[in-house]
Each structure stands twice: as structure tokens, then as C-alpha cells.
Amino acid sequence: MATTANGNSKKRDGGLSSLAPRKINVQKFSEARAPELESLHSIVSERLNKDFRSKRNKRRRTNSYNNQPAKKRNIKRQKSQSLIGQVSGGDHEVKITRRVKRRMELKGNPETGFCTSGDGTKRLRTHVWHAKRFTMTKLWGFHLPLGLHGRGRGSRDVLKQSRQGVLVHDASYHIAVQLEGPEGSLLSILNMLLEPSPSSHSKEVFDSILTGGSYENAMLYHVEPPVSQAIAPVTYMWRPSKIPKRRNEEKGGDGIGTDLPVSDKDHEDFRKLWVWIHASSFSEGYAILKVACQKQMNETGVSVDCFSLEGQLAKLEIFGSKASHLLQKTLHPATSTFENPSILRKCSMEKAEVKNVADLYTEENVSSGAILAQFVIDPRLILTSPHDDRTVSVETIKTEPTESVETTTNTEAETFPEVFNCLWDANSELTPPEEENMLCWEKHQSRMDSLCLDDPAAEVPKVSSRPRSSRSCPLLLLKHKKLGNAPTGWSLILPLSWIKVFWNAFVSKGAHAIGQREKRWVSCDDGLPFFPSDFPDCKAYSSFTLSEAADLEEKAQRRPPAIRPFRIPIPPPWNSIHVTRSIGEGSNQKFSSNGRSVVEISSYGGNLFDGIVARTSDSLTTFLQTFTSDNMLLFPHNTSKPSTDLMMTLQEDDKKVRAQIHQSSNKLCLVRVLLHAFKEGSFEEGAVVCAPTLADISLLKSSCSEGEDGRVTIPQSSVSSYFQEQPCGTWELNVPEDTLTEQSHRWPIGFVTTGFVRGSKKPAAEAFCDAVLLGRLRDEQWRDKDVRRRKKQIYVLVRNLRSSAFRLALATIVLEQQDYCDVHCF
């Protein structure tokens, strides 16, 4: 049956029936239905042989209403709720237990800020949900989900979900830093700290980034000379430039922006910028940004503000083949009249009249790296079951529906000024969502009204003393860039208080939640680096690997000495690659009697890595041109003389890179490579990558037997002594002295940072190798070969640190595949 506006109901044949009675007289109803009740009683009595006593084997179920454990839990719950009410509104101090305090803290949803534990470690807003299902760990000042319970397996199911389903990850530990100032000053700061710099992009890409139509990834570096050290990969995005002026926004009186007086910053050149930094490097990156702003102000006299947005904004990451379909089901744009609560309650049973956005998030309609701005309806109000007409659906009135949301353009900025006003203005108060008990009460009242029943005992639920709440949320959608075989992905930037609402909506609609371990599996399967595990030139990598080494050492000490494994270097001894380079250069370096090289190997403070990682083609080309006179054959498609445009770009945009690598010619220059096993083998994290001889390659390529004759191995005694730990705690390469060990010794050129992932269709490990040594290997393997038979991949040997066998692998340099930069982080 359908219902008209004045409450009358229609029959299926189109005729009108009488009004349904509001109350029913039970006695009159039973008298009218007496024959039916008597016939029903006779049928039941015949089946039971007129024995209405309950059977003995079922008598226990008759006392289910008097469940003692459930009653005790209910009494405790009521007592804790009464204590919470006394604390929130009481005039005198009430002593409550720690359990009640913790429940109050975790159940609450403050507008800003993270909840903290006793030692000051922050908790995500989804902490309770993750703590029930995941193994939690303390990382970078947060309680983060490490992965599902168990021994760290389950990668096959996660990779299957990424290929056939959708994954969701709470990335609220990424923190935004907002910069405010003139556009020219902000560009100078970015060009000073980022690689690749914004000015190094093409004009089309640069204009899209500058106008706020798309975001960009870059590597953040230190600003102090003499050597700039990498900090972390960051994502930066500009506030759209062509939007209504702040003066006009305040005159509109929408109540979403700030009410402060307008300052002299309201000219057209005044811009705002966000820089998203990982929590492991946030303190270091935030300090460098403030130093750069102060340096810019000292040089130009123009003030640039820099402040943190920690505890105000949050980020959710969604990726997988069905990510766009999940967004279509969950995100529905709100209309201008949606925020009126009286209209909401009046029309709560009408179906949603939202704009059809079925094709909004498809690959064809949204370009890679685009930013979408939306005001979306609270997903708790969306129709949950298509088969239930009485389910509370979106409450909107069809008056002036908003236009469809496209890539951030001038039209979109005029349509959704509130999105930019409330999210980009740090002084504005981000409105939290409506409380759950209020929505449940309205849902109950709507169902009672639909059944034409009165509920005199129903009371308006108690809510917290918030000044206001909202039923629509402003958010920004960032489309992940399409790189290789990476699945479709989106990042949602929204107020921190809305995280729980959208998290529960995504999970209930089929999204598979993942932690840090599962996210690393997906990134390795897609051939993308994972921070900080695949960034050896950052301090965050050193601190993370040292903490892992301490945990592994503690676990090893618990085992008996007879079965305790021998120690391996964690993190890898990157400086041992210097020995291989010095030998390859054919210098007159000699080794001392104790088997250690006299090549000076210095460690750089607490970084444990002395060198640079080339993440752009310009920085790699600059390094090769600075320290090598011949062509190192690292770009087979560009072996000719560099073009004029490339040389001009190097002269204008690579001053930082030249200063970085000009201090010492002995510095390492690493590039990221993907390793694929040639025939067999599984590469683990920390495995050493070695330079093969031509005899090793021909032997491993032609051998089909599994005997020792078809293998390249080292003696079992050399496995544990390949690297030796020094009294100071560092590890050095042990150069063999005897002839037998020297013949089987292979020189290291790099190390594996992320090993194979079980369940991957094409297993690949991520490693970092020296660029100069890779060039020499390619030159050696290409020599005396026809051009058509030359491969882009380079043959290398890989050995797990607890194994004696070398495996042949094909190394693919990532910069040769992307041909521009390798700064995209998962």
C-alpha cells in the first residue's frame, strides 16, 4: 500500500479505504473473531492431544527471560550509564572506575583531537573497531593496527580482495601542515624543499596543480647546507584559486566559515596550501617547513604562516577494483535544504531524491590525480536495504538540487563554497555528525508513525551539550594516480569527527579493512614503495628498522642457545657497497691482514646511510654527468646526447641535487629496482644483491639439475660470517683471504627492502642498488651482443642472509619504466 499526503491509504485496485483506527478494543476484537479463534484452538488441541503442558526437555527455555549473566551485564551497564550522566551533568565530584572513564573516552566523539592512553600515545577514532579484530602496535606516537591476528599470513586473501573487491585503510596518522601567504613566496618554499619541484612540471600540469584541480607527490628535503637529507614523501595540494572572496563569504552569513574580521591577507595573491606528512617524519618535516618560512620571510620581508592541522582533518584510503562502486553506493550529494531538521523529521519516510551520480567516479570521468569537492549526506541516513520500504532513507526535498560534482573547476568552486570555506579555514569549527541515539530515536518514531501506533512512553534521548551538529559532511576526494598495475584508489579528506561514520558505512557495504602489514603487501604487489620501509635515505627508516631489530633480538633471546638463529645485520650495511665500487674502479686499494677493507666508510650520524637515492631522472642524470665521463647505459632509450631542454632543466631546477652530490664523490647513489626470479627462488627482506660474473649467468641460465654442480653457492661457514658485527655495533663486509672462499665470494651492490609476497601473480621484490655498479653490469652484459638481443633488465644474484645459495634474478630499474620520477608512495 502507498500513503497519500493527508494520511489516507490506497488499495491496490485504486479505491480508497476508511481510516485505520488509532486504537483497538481487544474485547470487541475477540468477540468479532470468536469463530476463528475457536477453530484455531481446536486444531492446536488436537495436535497436542489436549495436553498443553510444556515438555520436560523444553522447560529450560521457558526461563530464558530470567538470564542471570545477561541481567548482571544489564545492571552494570545501567550503573555505568548513570555514572556517566552524573559526571557529565553533576555538581559534585563522583569517583568512577578506570573502565568507565575509558568507555566514556572511547565512546565519545569530540570535534577535534585524538584520544590518548596513559603514556600519551594517540588513538585513532576507529581504535575500538580495530582493537577487536587486529593486532595493535605502538608506532610513531599512535596505536596502529599492525594486521590480523596470527603469524602474519593471509596475503593471498588480501591480494584477492584488492583485485576483485575493495580495501579500506584508516590513514588518519597522516597529518596536514597548512601554509598561508603570497603565491610567489609559497612557490619559492616548495621549490626549495621538494623534489621534483612544482616548476619542473609541464605548463599544463603546473596550472592544474596551482589552481587546485589536482594534487602532486614529491620528496621533502632539508633546507640547510651542505647536504640536503631526505625527510619523507609528501602530498601537497593548493586551495582552488578561483573561488568567492572571503569578504563575500562572510557577508553571506552561512555560519560555516570564520567570523573573525577580515585582514589585509584577503587579496587575490593570498593562497593556502596543504602538505600531508607521514606521522613518522612529521616532527622533522614540520620543523623544516617552519625554518623555510622563516628563511623566506628574512629574505623577502613577506610573512608566511605555517601551522599544523593535527586533530582536525583525517584521511581514509580506499583502493581496489570496486572502489568506485563503493563510493557510488555510499556518497550522495546533499541539497541546499537538507540541513533543516524540521524538514528532515517531516519527510523521514520519503525516498531519497538525490542526484544520480552513477558515473561520477568511473575512470573515464575522473582524471588521475584529480580533486573532487563534495557535500555528502550522512551515510547512516541512506536507504540500507532495497527490499525494506520502511527503512529510514535520505530526507531531502526536491527544490533546487545541486549540480553534479566534477573535477575542481570554477563552476564547482561556486557551487560548493562551503567545502573550501570550512575545510581550508583553520579558525572555523568543523561541525560534528548527529549523535547515534538521536538518529535511532527518529528512526523508531518514523516506524511507529508508519504503523499508525502511538508510543506515549517514548522520550527524546539525552544528547551531549554540543552547540550544533550536522547531517551532511564536507569532504575532498583525491583520485590516486594510475601507476603500473596498481588498483583504482581514492583518498577521502574529511573532518576527524566524521571518521567513525564513514568507516562503519564502508565496512558494512563490503570493504575489507587492512592494517600496516596488509598495506605493505598490496604496495609490493603493485610495485610501489612503502614508507618508511622502502626509503633507506630517511631517518624514519633507520629508527623503524632499529626498533624491528630490537624486537627480533628480544624474541631470539627467549629461545634456547642450541636453536637460536645467528644474528644478521638489521638494517642492512649499506656502506659495504663502497668496497665493491672501489674494487670495480680498479684502484690500488689493498686489504689488511684481518680481511677488512681499508676503504674509509663513514656513517652519517644516526642515519646509518651515507648517500642519496635518485628518485627523478634529472637527479640521476646529474649524478652520472658529475662523476662519470662515459655513458653508464642506465637509459637505453636515451643513450644519445641529452637534449637542449633537458640541459636547461638541469641548469635551472637541479641546483639542490648538484649541491647534494658534489660534496663527496665517494657517496652512494642508489636507485630502486624490482627483482624477478629468473627460474626459482623467493627473496626475503634484507637479502643481499650481488654482482654476477658472465660464467654465473650462463651456468644458472643453462642448468636444469638441482645438484650442486648447477648452483652458485658460498661455503656454509661463510653464511654467518659474510658480514661481521664490530664492537661499536656496526656491521662491515668480511673480505675473504683464502683462495677457496675468495672464488665463491660475490660482491654486494644493494639490498632488498621488501621481499616476495605470497599469493602474488608475478612475485617481485623491491631493492635498492648502486647506480654506478648497475651501469657497469649492463655494460658488461651488453658487450659483444647484438642490439636486438639486449635486454633492459640486468642480471644480478640474490642471496637470503641465512642461505648459502645465490639465485639469478632480473633487475628492472623503476626510473626507466616511469621515465620521470619515483616519489609515489603507497
Side-chain angles (χ1 to χ4, degrees):
M1 286 188 171
T3 306
T4 59
N6 52 3
N8 296 333
S9 58
K10 284 185 180 180
K11 292 184 179 180
R12 294 183 179 179
D13 56 357
L16 294 175
S17 63
S18 60
L19 289 174
R22 298 293 297 174
K23 295 182 180 180
I24 298 177
N25 192 323
V26 179
Q27 185 175 0
K28 293 183 179 180
F29 180 80
S30 60
E31 291 177 356
R33 300 288 185 176
E36 298 178 10
L37 294 175
E38 290 177 357
S39 62
L40 179 62
H41 182 270
S42 62
I43 294 174
V44 174
S45 61
E46 289 178 1
R47 291 183 179 180
L48 297 177
N49 295 325
K50 297 183 180 181
D51 184 8
F52 291 95
R53 295 178 299 176
S54 60
K55 296 182 181 180
R56 297 187 62 86
N57 61 343
K58 295 182 180 180
R59 285 185 181 180
R60 286 176 296 179
R61 299 184 183 180
T62 59
N63 292 328
S64 60
Y65 70 94
N66 194 17
N67 192 347
Q68 295 297 327
K71 183 180 291 186
K72 291 180 180 179
R73 286 194 299 267
N74 188 29
I75 293 174
K76 288 184 178 180
R77 189 181 300 109
Q78 291 178 357
K79 185 182 295 185
S80 63
Q81 289 177 358
S82 63
L83 288 175
I84 293 174
Q86 293 177 12
V87 172
S88 60
D91 299 333
H92 59 282
E93 183 179 357
V94 179
K95 292 184 178 180
I96 57 177
T97 62
R98 176 185 174 275
R99 179 183 178 185
V100 176
K101 288 182 180 179
R102 188 170 180 270
R103 179 177 296 177
M104 291 168 54
E105 184 179 1
L106 296 177
K107 193 175 182 180
N109 189 26
E111 297 183 13
T112 58
F114 293 98
C115 300
T116 57
S117 56
D119 57 354
T121 307
K122 305 181 187 69
R123 291 191 180 100
L124 302 177
R125 292 298 175 92
T126 57
H127 174 80
V128 176
W129 192 96
H130 281 107
K132 293 178 180 179
R133 301 164 177 87
F134 285 76
T135 301
M136 306 298 290
T137 182
K138 290 183 181 180
L139 282 176
W140 316 307
F142 285 86
H143 289 283
L144 297 180
L146 178 62
L148 294 174
H149 298 295
R151 297 181 298 167
R153 303 296 180 92
S155 57
R156 288 180 175 85
D157 181 61
V158 173
L159 297 182
K160 181 180 179 181
Q161 289 289 337
S162 66
R163 291 189 290 262
Q164 302 178 6
V166 56
L167 303 175
V168 60
H169 179 72
D170 187 359
S172 301
Y173 51 88
H174 289 78
I175 306 172
V177 177
Q178 182 164 320
L179 304 178
E180 294 182 355
E183 183 179 297
S185 300
L186 296 180
L187 282 175
S188 300
I189 293 174
L190 295 184
N191 291 330
M192 186 192 313
L193 299 178
L194 299 184
E195 182 191 15
S197 61
S199 58
S200 63
H201 296 282
S202 61
K203 185 179 183 304
E204 182 180 358
V205 177
F206 177 75
D207 292 342
S208 177
I209 297 173
L210 195 61
T211 56
S214 61
Y215 69 93
E216 190 55 56
N217 302 101
M219 197 71 188
L220 180 65
Y221 285 85
H222 279 263
V223 69
E224 293 94 348
V227 177
S228 295
Q229 180 186 343
I231 299 176
V234 298
T235 300
Y236 65 95
M237 49 189 295
W238 294 78
R239 178 176 178 173
S241 57
K242 295 182 179 180
I243 60 176
K245 303 294 188 299
R246 293 177 62 185
R247 212 176 286 270
N248 296 338
E249 291 174 356
E250 293 183 358
K251 288 180 181 180
D254 54 3
I256 300 178
T258 176
D259 295 327
L260 296 177
V262 181
S263 63
D264 56 353
K265 298 179 181 179
D266 293 327
H267 50 79
E268 293 184 359
D269 191 43
F270 182 79
R271 300 294 305 277
K272 294 182 180 181
L273 171 73
W274 281 346
V275 180
W276 289 86
I277 310 176
H278 194 274
S280 61
S281 302
F282 175 74
S283 300
E284 185 181 6
Y286 183 37
I288 290 303
L289 287 173
K290 290 195 293 186
V291 169
C293 293
Q294 184 65 34
K295 182 179 180 181
Q296 182 70 17
M297 187 177 66
N298 296 338
E299 293 178 355
T300 61
V302 179
S303 176
V304 178
D305 296 331
C306 175
F307 48 88
S308 170
L309 298 180
E310 182 179 4
Q312 299 184 31
L313 300 178
K315 181 188 285 190
L316 284 179
E317 294 180 350
I318 301 173
F319 34 85
S321 59
K322 297 184 179 180
S324 300
H325 181 62
L326 178 65
L327 294 179
Q328 293 170 12
K329 294 192 300 182
T330 309
L331 305 182
H332 295 270
T335 59
S336 58
T337 59
F338 186 76
E339 283 296 320
N340 191 342
S342 60
I343 298 177
L344 290 174
R345 297 187 183 93
K346 180 180 178 181
C347 306
S348 60
M349 288 309 299
E350 295 184 5
K351 290 189 177 181
E353 296 178 356
V354 295
K355 187 78 175 177
N356 184 15
V357 289
D359 299 331
L360 176 60
Y361 308 107
T362 56
E363 296 283 344
E364 296 78 11
N365 295 339
V366 183
S367 60
S368 179
I371 302 176
L372 307 181
Q374 281 190 325
F375 254 116
V376 297
I377 301 172
D378 191 334
R380 296 173 295 179
L381 304 176
I382 304 299
L383 187 67
T384 56
S385 176
H387 305 290
D388 186 8
D389 294 336
R390 294 190 178 95
T391 305
V392 178
S393 58
V394 182
E395 304 92 349
T396 57
I397 292 182
K398 195 171 185 179
T399 53
E400 295 179 0
T402 56
E403 299 293 333
S404 60
V405 183
E406 300 176 355
T407 307
T408 308
T409 57
N410 304 339
T411 306
E412 184 189 72
E414 297 174 358
T415 306
F416 294 98
E418 300 90 350
V419 176
F420 307 107
N421 193 12
C422 62
L423 287 180
W424 285 93
D425 198 340
N427 297 321
S428 65
E429 297 181 359
L430 299 175
T431 309
E434 189 71 72
E435 293 191 12
E436 188 74 27
N437 53 357
M438 177 60 72
L439 296 179
C440 293
W441 178 78
E442 293 180 1
K443 184 177 181 179
H444 172 71
Q445 290 299 113
S446 300
R447 287 180 173 175
M448 295 294 290
D449 294 342
S450 65
L451 297 174
C452 301
L453 297 176
D454 292 332
D455 191 3
E459 298 180 358
V460 179
K462 296 180 181 180
V463 295
S464 60
S465 57
R466 287 179 179 173
R468 57 180 178 174
S469 59
S470 176
R471 306 199 179 196
S472 62
C473 174
L475 57 84
L476 297 177
L477 282 164
L478 278 62
K479 176 69 176 297
H480 292 179
K481 296 189 176 181
K482 187 66 176 178
L483 297 172
N485 298 325
T488 304
W490 296 82
S491 293
L492 277 73
I493 298 176
L494 66 165
L496 185 63
S497 58
W498 283 86
I499 281 290
K500 284 184 181 179
V501 175
F502 284 91
W503 179 268
N504 294 331
F506 288 142
V507 172
S508 63
K509 287 179 171 58
H512 187 85
I514 60 173
Q516 296 291 321
R517 184 193 298 134
E518 291 89 354
K519 188 179 179 184
R520 188 178 181 184
W521 291 339
V522 178
S523 66
C524 182
D525 185 62
D526 299 332
L528 298 177
F530 182 76
F531 187 81
S533 303
D534 296 325
F535 289 81
D537 53 338
C538 300
K539 287 184 179 179
Y541 170 84
S542 302
S543 59
F544 179 71
T545 51
L546 287 176
S547 63
E548 279 191 337
D551 295 340
L552 292 176
E553 180 65 20
E554 182 181 358
K555 292 180 180 179
Q557 292 299 327
R558 299 173 186 167
R559 307 181 68 179
I563 60 174
R564 188 178 301 168
F566 62 87
R567 297 189 61 188
I568 57 176
I570 299 176
W574 298 96
N575 292 332
S576 62
I577 304 176
H578 284 287
V579 183
T580 308
R581 183 189 286 185
S582 63
I583 293 177
E585 290 172 355
S587 60
N588 295 324
Q589 302 276 356
K590 293 184 179 180
F591 301 100
S592 58
S593 59
N594 58 1
R596 289 182 298 164
S597 172
V598 299
V599 178
E600 183 180 357
I601 302 175
S602 60
S603 61
Y604 232 43
N607 190 24
L608 303 179
F609 175 80
D610 184 14
I612 64 171
V613 175
R615 291 189 173 87
T616 62
S617 56
D618 293 342
S619 61
L620 180 59
T621 306
T622 303
F623 179 86
L624 297 178
Q625 291 179 351
T626 304
F627 298 116
T628 59
S629 58
D630 56 339
N631 188 6
M632 297 309 297
L633 299 179
L634 288 186
F635 292 93
H637 59 280
N638 191 18
T639 55
S640 60
K641 185 177 179 180
S643 62
T644 307
D645 296 338
L646 176 60
M647 296 303 298
M648 292 180 62
T649 304
L650 292 174
Q651 294 175 2
E652 295 177 359
D653 298 332
D654 279 350
K655 294 180 181 180
K656 177 182 64 179
V657 178
R658 291 182 181 275
Q660 179 179 347
I661 62 180
H662 189 68
Q663 185 191 16
S664 174
S665 60
N666 199 32
K667 272 188 171 297
L668 298 176
C669 179
L670 304 184
V671 291
R672 190 169 69 94
V673 298
L674 298 180
L675 300 177
H676 298 272
F678 181 74
K679 281 187 178 180
E680 58 181 358
S682 177
F683 308 146
E684 301 175 354
E685 180 182 354
V688 58
V689 183
C690 299
T693 63
L694 296 179
D696 296 337
I697 298 175
S698 59
L699 176 64
L700 293 175
K701 288 176 63 177
S702 60
S703 64
C704 299
S705 62
E706 297 182 359
E708 294 294 331
D709 296 338
R711 284 182 159 188
V712 179
T713 61
I714 60 174
Q716 193 65 35
S717 59
S718 301
V719 175
S720 58
S721 61
Y722 189 85
F723 294 106
Q724 284 188 345
E725 186 176 9
Q726 305 303 311
C728 60
T730 60
W731 293 77
E732 291 185 3
L733 178 66
N734 183 19
V735 180
E737 291 182 341
D738 58 291
T739 307
L740 180 61
T741 308
E742 186 177 357
Q743 290 178 355
S744 60
H745 186 80
R746 298 297 181 269
W747 299 98
I749 64 172
F751 294 92
V752 175
T753 56
T754 300
F756 280 1
V757 180
R758 294 183 178 90
S760 178
K761 291 185 176 180
K762 192 176 182 181
E766 297 188 17
F768 285 85
C769 300
D770 186 71
V772 177
L773 297 176
L774 284 177
R776 291 175 185 167
L777 283 178
R778 175 173 281 171
D779 182 41
E780 181 183 357
Q781 295 172 13
W782 278 11
R783 195 176 302 161
D784 301 331
K785 270 193 176 183
D786 186 59
V787 178
R788 292 175 294 182
R789 296 181 58 191
R790 293 177 178 177
K791 289 185 176 181
K792 284 187 178 182
Q793 295 87 355
I794 303 173
Y795 288 106
V796 295
L797 296 178
V798 183
R799 183 182 67 84
N800 296 328
L801 293 182
R802 289 193 171 94
S803 174
S804 61
F806 287 98
R807 303 294 185 183
L808 187 64
L810 291 171
T812 304
I813 301 176
V814 178
L815 278 179
E816 294 182 349
Q817 304 296 319
Q818 298 181 4
D819 196 22
Y820 179 61
C821 63
D822 184 28
V823 296
H824 303 282
C825 178
F826 207 78

